[in-house]
Amino acid sequence: MRKVILSAVLLAAFSSNDVLAQQQVKFGPKAGVNFANISGLDNSEIKTGFHVGAVAEIKFNEKFSIQPELLYSAEGAKFTGSYPIVGNVEAKLNYDYINIPILAKYYIVDGFSVEAGPQVGFLVKAEDKLSNASTELTNDVKNNLSSTTFGLGFGVAYDLPMGLFVNGRYNLGLSDIVKNNNNSAQKSNVIQVGLGYKFD
């Protein structure tokens, strides 16, 4: 029985390798601009940031592929409000994440695709920078925020024949970024425009 099980495992392993070998796999760098905001935060405005990282595409046929990514993403928001001690201030909420989206891609025509899929994010750094005419304060607020966030990404992309690609995506936050929040849920929402290159 042991030999039968071992033979079955080996057969499955070789079969999996054969299946993977038949797929077209590409990978490469990616970078771009973020337009981030936080829903549930009163008077918030879009904050411009960036994302940079790596992308892989596993293409199963001419129409369908899976695209996992690993990205450093500068997110957050801006707003004008009132804080204790300093009074009315302009605030920049600088929240940086390591994001891992896993997207399903469907090619509508040659080169042009739509993409959608889940994303998990891991908080790296979180600072609130507050300023008015006479005061500037920077507070580390990482301990106040959730260490992990979840979202969904929706977008479009165009692949050029030489390996370059451009894409636009909307990342919709699904989880509250604030730890133990008793008020309205605050969720990170980001519009991304990116440029990258995929090696064969």
Side-chain angles (χ1 to χ4, degrees), residues 70-169:
L70 179 66
L71 303 173
Y72 189 97
S73 183
E75 303 177 13
K78 296 191 302 183
F79 78 98
T80 302
S82 180
Y83 267 70
I85 302 175
V86 295
N88 291 329
V89 297
E90 292 184 353
K92 280 189 178 181
L93 313 183
N94 301 317
Y95 303 159
D96 293 359
Y97 293 88
I98 296 292
N99 288 333
I100 305 175
I102 300 177
L103 304 167
K105 294 173 65 76
Y106 181 79
Y107 285 83
I108 299 174
V109 296
D110 188 27
F112 181 76
S113 62
V114 293
E115 56 189 32
Q119 172 177 282
V120 60
F122 302 96
L123 184 65
V124 177
K125 183 178 74 172
E127 293 179 343
D128 289 355
K129 186 175 181 180
L130 317 174
S131 61
N132 59 19
S134 59
T135 306
E136 183 171 292
L137 295 174
T138 299
N139 298 319
D140 187 334
V141 296
K142 186 177 179 181
N143 289 336
N144 300 333
L145 300 185
S146 301
S147 60
T148 306
T149 62
F150 300 93
L152 286 174
F154 308 90
V156 295
Y158 186 75
D159 291 38
L160 298 169
M162 70 284 293
L164 286 172
F165 69 90
V166 293
N167 82 300
R169 185 181 304 162

Side-chain angles (χ1 to χ4, degrees), residues 51-68:
H51 63 274
V52 62
V55 55
E57 183 177 10
I58 306 165
K59 202 164 185 180
F60 295 93
N61 53 49
E62 293 300 315
K63 290 292 187 180
F64 181 73
S65 66
I66 297 293
Q67 182 168 293

Side-chain angles (χ1 to χ4, degrees), residues 14-65:
F14 283 121
S15 298
S16 298
N17 289 336
D18 289 341
V19 170
L20 289 174
Q22 294 171 10
Q23 314 313 317
Q24 182 182 10
V25 179
K26 297 182 178 181
F27 61 93
K30 174 186 177 183
V33 62
N34 288 349
F35 302 98
N37 206 340
I38 298 175
S39 64
L41 181 64
D42 293 340
N43 304 316
S44 66
E45 301 175 0
I46 289 175
K47 171 184 171 288
T48 303
F50 70 93
H51 63 274
V52 62
V55 55
E57 183 177 10
I58 306 165
K59 202 164 185 180
F60 295 93
N61 53 49
E62 293 300 315
K63 290 292 187 180
F64 181 73
S65 66

